[in-house]
Amino acid sequence: MAKKILIVGGVAGGATTAARLRRIDEESEIILFERGKYISFANCGLPYYIGGVIKDRNALLVQTPEAMGARFNMDVRIENEVTAIHRKEKSVSVRNHATGETYKETYDVLVLSPGSSPLKPPIPGIDSPNIFSLWNIPDTDAIKGYVEKNQVKTATVIGGGFIGIEMVENLHELGIDVTLVEMADQVLTPVDFEMAQLVHSHVSSQGVKMYLKNGVKSFTYKDGSTTVELQDGTKVDADMVILSIGIRPNGELAKDAGLDVNQRGGIVVDSHLKTSDPDIYALGDAIEVVDFVNGVPTMIPLAGPANKQGRIVANNIAGRLEPYEGTMGTSVAKVFDLTVASTGANEKALHRLGKVYGKDYFVTVIEPKSHAGYYPGAMPMTLKLIFTSDGKILGVQAVGYDGVEKRVDVIATAMRLGGTVSDLKKLELAYAPPFSSAKDPVNMAGFTAENILNKDQEVVRWDEVGNLSADDTLVLDVREDVERELGFIPGSIHIPVNDLRQRQGELPKDKTIVVYCAVGLRGYVAARILSQLGFQAKNLLGGYNLYKYFYKDYTNPLCVVTDTVHSLGDDGAPEFVEPKPEEALQGVQTVQLNACGLQCPGPIMQVNNTMPTLNPGDILEVSATDPGFIVDVQAWAKKTGNTFLKSEKRNREFVAYIKKGAPTLAGHRAAAAEKNGSTMVVFSGDLDKALASLIIANGAAAMGKKVTMFFTFWGLNILRKAEKVPVKKTFLDAMFGAMMPRGTGKLPLSKLNMGGMGTAMMKMTMKNKHVNTLDELIASAQKAGVKFVACTMSMDVMGITEEELIDGVDFGGVAAYLGEAEDAYHNLFI
């Protein structure tokens, strides 16, 4: 039977509903209302039109009112806004914005697809003339016109969601200096923090300044520029500001009509997308849906679900009953060269539901290549899979350069069909070297997840490393020597994986050994070796790569991957100088090295092996597909006395130029300026030597030097608390503790101690001559920023525990001390 069907909203879901209805019902009358001038436009493409990637504005218009009306025999009314629903008489009130007329239209069935609107909180100055939101075609025209007319040089984007990130990229592509402000601690909330850190690193590497965990306090407009004042008092000047703070559902129409809405104003619907009124359907951004994974109500404003809901609503109106089974939130975003994709639940969502890691869910992280490593152009990706103890897949997140969305789509399909992690390993996926690997990343995710469930691999997470106890845990680095030189986990010891069997005697069997490599693969192999040799071994998920990203601060721009010549300073921060690559490369031999497709540490090892074959002054041009290579090779050059000249992005390759020999460019001369650190090994526990070391440390700190004191063996007694601390010890450890002096008050003199008489005389003389006591010197040194490090190996040998030492002491091994000593101007042994 023919019906009169009114559809409110002509974008995405509304247009899809109308078109599908006509394809299956030629008789019903269909009227489509859209309050704006445009229907069925590609809102996801708007940032790319502003950035010039999409050249033709008309390409954004998927369908025009005239074309849609003619093809589908329906009445399309643009600039007609439905202002009220009269449920009893089954009619709506409509305002024609073009004529100012208000009229009513009756219906048999009403479909609500009102969408959502960008949030605009009451921040002072938010209505300044150079502050914009991006949501529709008029917004796009306004932003693009303002950029072109006012020759915008600087822009600040508020909000790091999909639109915010896309606007950062597209404004940057226009040559605009862009700053990103995000109130949360990360961008792109569908992924978890450690995965977002990969994005932060990449965005920062483009020269974009980021302020995370920092909201906007006010906007102040003056002479064409707006000063954005942040909550911490930071002020950022911008020629233009883009608001991308979030959205709210347009549920007012439904609420005013007495339909059920949730606390956010979202329209409540049943499984067939009917509202609380059986003659009214709703879909799209404005409705509350069911989370497909967790079965709880949620709101997920995405174009894909809205279009599917439109088809289902049309089927249900036509009598072809079909339920909507929930939304998984599958999404993908382009972030400069990166692709970020996810589906299902992330850990943040699980925590909000009270789920606990290790009990209610588990995680695996892999870092495979996009295709076979030996075929040119293989790019790395990081893939995180979340699953339950019975193998149910809860969600997946992936960040990389190629093939990322393909893997997420495959896993999303498996999830929709009820597949488990075991099913992932069984999937037979298309393979040829240019496209994949014989063991596809999806298969690898299944393999590693099953290893965890079967206890073939016990794991430690990146965020657990800082809480490991040295008393019962040993952290073992199984990478190669050259990798360790570029950074390591503090306190870890180093035995390359290939040497493990021969050097197993160096490892304790009464401690858990946490093994790590670069990305987790060699760590897994090492953990299996150790486990079968009788050790308690666990593997660090994601390896050192994920660990270093997790703990790094990306709120300052890193090295820009352009022709700008830059280097790493002594503090590890990038230094920038004006590029003169033609001068640097003239009159020397340039040797090309192809390290593409090599898994870390392959590229660095290739550089390390090739550089000795070059003559001083020669240039090594290295191509790699590992995005971390550029930062690693800068650190390598600095440590090995070579000169990092420049880096560039060439298609899918990262290219570095290294000159053999000491730095000559201005930036490198600055990096080679006088070292300002001071390190001391305090081996002695004698009072006079302790006084000397603390006097020197205080003096060095007063001169502005960075001072590190490494207390080892008898020197540890200087740091012991005076009072006895009740800790459980072995008999031998307890004996050591009883025989050694406890705290500064019990330290003897190295000469003329005379059974303690000399010590007492020294203390009295110091008091009479107003010389600071050892305790006062320690306190002043700590206040001045002197770093006290207790040697964990010596503590273990001498039976001293962390609880027995004074507050403010760090704990580390020889490697931690050597790292400080390398940047020190002098080193003392006392």
Side-chain angles (χ1 to χ4, degrees):
M1 184 177 70
K3 302 173 184 176
K4 184 177 182 181
I5 303 163
L6 306 185
I7 301 175
V8 180
V11 182
T16 297
T17 303
R20 172 64 177 172
L21 264 172
R22 180 57 77 218
R23 288 196 297 269
I24 60 178
D25 179 0
E26 185 64 25
E27 302 300 324
S28 290
E29 179 183 2
I30 302 174
I31 304 176
L32 178 66
F33 298 97
E34 169 55 47
R35 64 181 176 181
K37 291 183 178 181
Y38 305 92
I39 66 163
S40 193
F41 61 86
N43 34 11
C44 295
L46 301 182
Y48 300 101
Y49 171 64
I50 293 172
V53 178
I54 297 173
K55 305 296 183 183
D56 185 0
R57 180 179 180 276
N58 290 327
L60 299 172
L61 306 176
V62 180
Q63 188 66 274
T64 65
E66 297 78 15
M68 189 164 185
R71 174 168 297 181
F72 295 104
N73 186 28
M74 63 179 64
D75 187 355
V76 180
R77 302 179 186 177
I78 59 172
E79 295 188 273
N80 277 249
E81 180 180 3
V82 174
T83 58
I85 302 171
H86 313 289
R87 292 167 55 192
K88 287 185 179 180
E89 59 185 68
K90 299 185 71 172
S91 70
V92 298
S93 294
V94 186
R95 180 182 298 115
N96 185 326
H97 289 293
T99 64
E101 171 195 6
T102 298
Y103 62 95
K104 283 188 176 183
E105 197 73 62
T106 61
Y107 66 83
D108 295 314
V109 178
L110 177 64
V111 179
L112 301 179
S113 183
S116 54
S117 299
L119 289 173
K120 195 173 182 180
I123 300 173
I126 199 167
D127 293 320
S128 299
N130 63 346
I131 298 181
F132 302 87
S133 294
L134 177 63
W135 202 243
N136 53 33
I137 296 289
D139 294 339
T140 306
D141 293 338
I143 293 171
K144 193 170 180 67
Y146 192 89
V147 169
E148 294 172 352
K149 180 180 178 181
N150 295 277
Q151 297 182 328
V152 171
K153 298 291 191 299
T154 59
T156 296
V157 176
I158 314 297
F162 290 115
I163 293 177
I165 285 291
E166 289 167 355
M167 283 305 300
V168 165
E169 175 184 351
N170 281 280
L171 292 173
H172 181 274
E173 291 299 313
L174 293 174
I176 296 173
D177 184 9
V178 185
T179 297
L180 174 63
V181 176
E182 169 55 57
M183 189 163 60
D185 62 354
Q186 68 166 87
V187 301
L188 298 178
T189 55
V191 301
D192 288 312
F193 176 77
E194 71 282 357
M195 300 295 282
Q197 280 285 75
L198 304 176
V199 182
H200 298 158
S201 172
H202 189 63
V203 171
S204 181
S205 75
Q206 307 301 312
V208 174
K209 176 70 176 178
M210 289 190 297
Y211 292 96
L212 304 175
K213 292 195 293 187
N214 215 342
V216 177
K217 185 177 181 181
S218 67
F219 300 102
T220 303
Y221 178 80
K222 183 179 180 181
D223 299 331
S225 177
T226 288
T227 298
V228 184
E229 183 176 358
L230 306 184
Q231 294 293 344
D232 68 353
T234 300
K235 293 183 178 181
V236 181
D237 293 328
D239 298 332
M240 165 184 276
V241 176
I242 303 294
L243 297 178
S244 183
I245 299 173
I247 62 172
R248 61 172 181 81
N250 293 332
E252 297 88 350
L253 190 63
K255 181 179 179 181
D256 292 344
L259 299 176
D260 291 347
V261 296
N262 63 17
Q263 289 184 341
R264 293 178 56 190
I267 305 169
V268 177
V269 296
D270 65 12
S271 61
H272 288 85
L273 301 176
K274 280 186 179 181
T275 67
S276 50
D277 184 319
D279 295 319
I280 302 177
Y281 292 80
L283 68 150
D285 289 4
I287 70 168
E288 178 183 88
V289 296
V290 173
D291 180 333
F292 178 80
V293 174
N294 295 303
V296 297
T298 188
M299 297 192 71
I300 302 178
L302 292 171
N307 279 279
K308 294 173 182 63
Q309 292 160 11
R311 182 182 177 89
I312 290 173
V313 166
N315 287 348
N316 289 333
I317 292 172
R320 302 183 179 189
L321 295 184
E322 179 183 354
Y324 183 69
E325 297 178 349
T327 302
M328 295 168 59
T330 308
S331 61
V332 63
K334 178 181 179 295
V335 186
F336 294 96
D337 299 315
L338 273 184
T339 302
V340 184
S342 68
T343 191
N346 56 34
E347 288 196 76
K348 298 189 296 288
L350 294 174
H351 294 165
R352 288 194 294 269
L353 294 172
K355 306 294 185 181
V356 178
Y357 169 74
K359 177 185 175 185
D360 301 303
Y361 72 92
F362 300 86
V363 167
T364 186
V365 176
I366 59 172
E367 298 191 26
K369 297 285 187 181
S370 57
H371 59 249
Y374 56 82
Y375 187 88
M379 301 293 280
M381 71 176 73
T382 302
L383 191 150
K384 175 181 179 179
L385 187 71
I386 307 174
F387 53 96
T388 65
S389 59
D390 59 0
K392 178 185 176 181
I393 306 168
L394 299 179
V396 64
Q397 304 160 38
V399 178
Y401 292 82
D402 188 27
V404 169
E405 74 289 348
K406 167 184 173 181
R407 273 67 190 210
V408 169
D409 284 344
V410 170
I411 296 175
T413 302
M415 291 172 63
R416 179 63 71 169
L417 300 178
T420 66
V421 295
S422 295
D423 293 317
L424 296 185
K425 71 173 189 175
K426 299 174 186 175
L427 291 177
E428 187 175 337
L429 302 172
Y431 163 61
F435 305 105
S436 184
S437 300
K439 296 176 183 176
D440 189 87
V442 171
N443 301 135
M444 292 301 299
F447 293 149
T448 58
E450 194 170 74
N451 284 342
I452 291 172
L453 294 180
N454 292 341
K455 306 295 185 184
D456 288 334
Q457 176 180 208
E458 292 193 66
V459 296
V460 168
R461 291 165 54 107
W462 50 92
D463 53 355
E464 295 175 323
V465 174
N467 297 321
L468 296 176
S469 169
D471 292 338
D472 51 23
T473 306
L474 176 72
V475 181
L476 174 62
D477 183 348
V478 297
R479 298 173 300 160
E480 299 301 319
D481 293 346
V482 67
E483 293 177 272
R484 186 167 175 86
E485 290 176 4
L486 303 180
F488 53 86
I489 295 176
S492 62
I493 69 169
H494 180 223
I495 302 176
V497 63
N498 293 343
D499 299 340
L500 269 183
R501 294 179 179 88
Q502 292 74 30
R503 296 176 59 182
Q504 61 177 291
E506 301 174 30
L507 300 173
K509 290 196 172 181
D510 60 345
K511 290 187 176 184
T512 298
I513 300 174
V514 175
V515 182
Y516 75 91
C517 64
V519 300
L521 181 57
R522 285 171 291 165
Y524 168 61
V525 173
R528 293 300 303 154
I529 291 171
L530 292 174
S531 296
Q532 294 177 85
L533 290 174
F535 293 90
Q536 304 172 55
K538 296 183 178 182
N539 186 26
L540 177 62
L541 274 179
Y544 183 72
N545 280 8
L546 193 59
Y547 166 87
K548 73 181 181 183
Y549 279 116
F550 180 77
Y551 287 100
K552 195 148 188 173
D553 179 10
Y554 289 105
T555 53
N556 288 307
L558 296 175
C559 303
V560 184
V561 186
T562 64
D563 284 341
T564 301
V565 182
H566 52 270
S567 68
L568 292 179
D570 286 321
D571 61 354
E575 300 173 341
F576 299 89
V577 298
E578 287 303 313
K580 294 183 179 178
E582 67 284 353
E583 294 180 12
L585 302 180
Q586 280 180 354
V588 297
Q589 180 186 3
T590 299
V591 177
Q592 294 184 332
L593 174 63
N594 187 344
C596 294
L598 294 180
Q599 187 84 337
C600 181
I604 282 293
M605 295 187 70
Q606 289 271 19
V607 172
N608 197 56
N609 294 336
T610 304
M611 191 60 76
T613 67
L614 273 60
N615 296 317
D618 285 351
I619 304 296
L620 185 63
E621 177 187 333
V622 192
S623 302
T625 47
D626 178 5
F629 168 70
I630 296 299
V631 174
D632 285 348
V633 79
Q634 291 176 69
W636 176 89
K638 178 175 179 289
K639 287 179 177 291
T640 56
N642 294 291
T643 307
F644 180 83
L645 296 177
K646 69 170 186 173
S647 63
E648 62 188 21
K649 183 74 164 45
R650 187 187 300 160
N651 295 324
R652 293 185 174 182
E653 297 177 0
F654 302 89
V655 184
Y657 296 82
I658 311 112
K659 180 179 179 181
K660 182 168 182 177
T664 56
L665 294 176
H668 293 270
R669 286 198 297 269
E674 180 178 317
K675 295 181 178 182
N676 198 37
S678 175
T679 54
M680 303 180 198
V681 177
V682 184
F683 178 85
S684 172
D686 296 327
L687 175 62
D688 44 340
K689 295 177 181 178
L691 286 167
S693 65
L694 265 300
I695 289 170
I696 295 171
N698 275 279
M703 294 174 65
K705 293 186 179 295
K706 178 185 176 184
V707 184
T708 299
M709 303 182 72
F710 188 74
F711 295 83
T712 184
F713 284 96
W714 314 113
L716 289 169
N717 292 318
I718 300 170
L719 302 180
R720 292 184 77 188
K721 295 176 181 176
E723 67 275 9
K724 186 175 182 180
V725 179
V727 290
K728 188 175 181 180
K729 294 186 177 183
T730 65
F731 174 76
L732 193 59
D733 287 348
M735 288 293 290
F736 259 113
M739 291 187 292
M740 290 188 299
R742 184 179 292 116
T744 58
K746 298 292 181 67
L747 298 181
L749 288 177
S750 62
K751 303 290 183 182
L752 301 174
N753 187 52
M754 297 182 295
M757 291 179 57
T759 304
M761 291 170 62
M762 171 68 80
K763 291 180 179 179
M764 184 178 296
T765 301
M766 290 170 61
K767 182 177 181 181
N768 293 336
K769 296 187 177 181
H770 305 290
V771 177
N772 287 342
T773 66
L774 186 54
D775 285 335
E776 290 170 337
L777 288 170
I778 290 174
S780 64
Q782 288 184 320
K783 186 176 181 180
V786 174
K787 186 176 181 180
F788 287 16
V789 181
C791 175
T792 52
M793 185 276 293
S794 298
M795 291 173 62
D796 193 39
V797 170
M798 303 185 74
I800 297 176
T801 65
E802 294 183 17
E803 293 85 356
E804 295 180 275
L805 301 187
I806 62 175
D807 294 335
V809 176
D810 292 336
F811 302 91
V814 174
Y817 160 70
L818 291 176
E820 298 286 350
E822 186 173 337
D823 291 329
Y825 180 67
H826 65 251
N827 181 48
L828 302 178
F829 186 90
I830 301 175

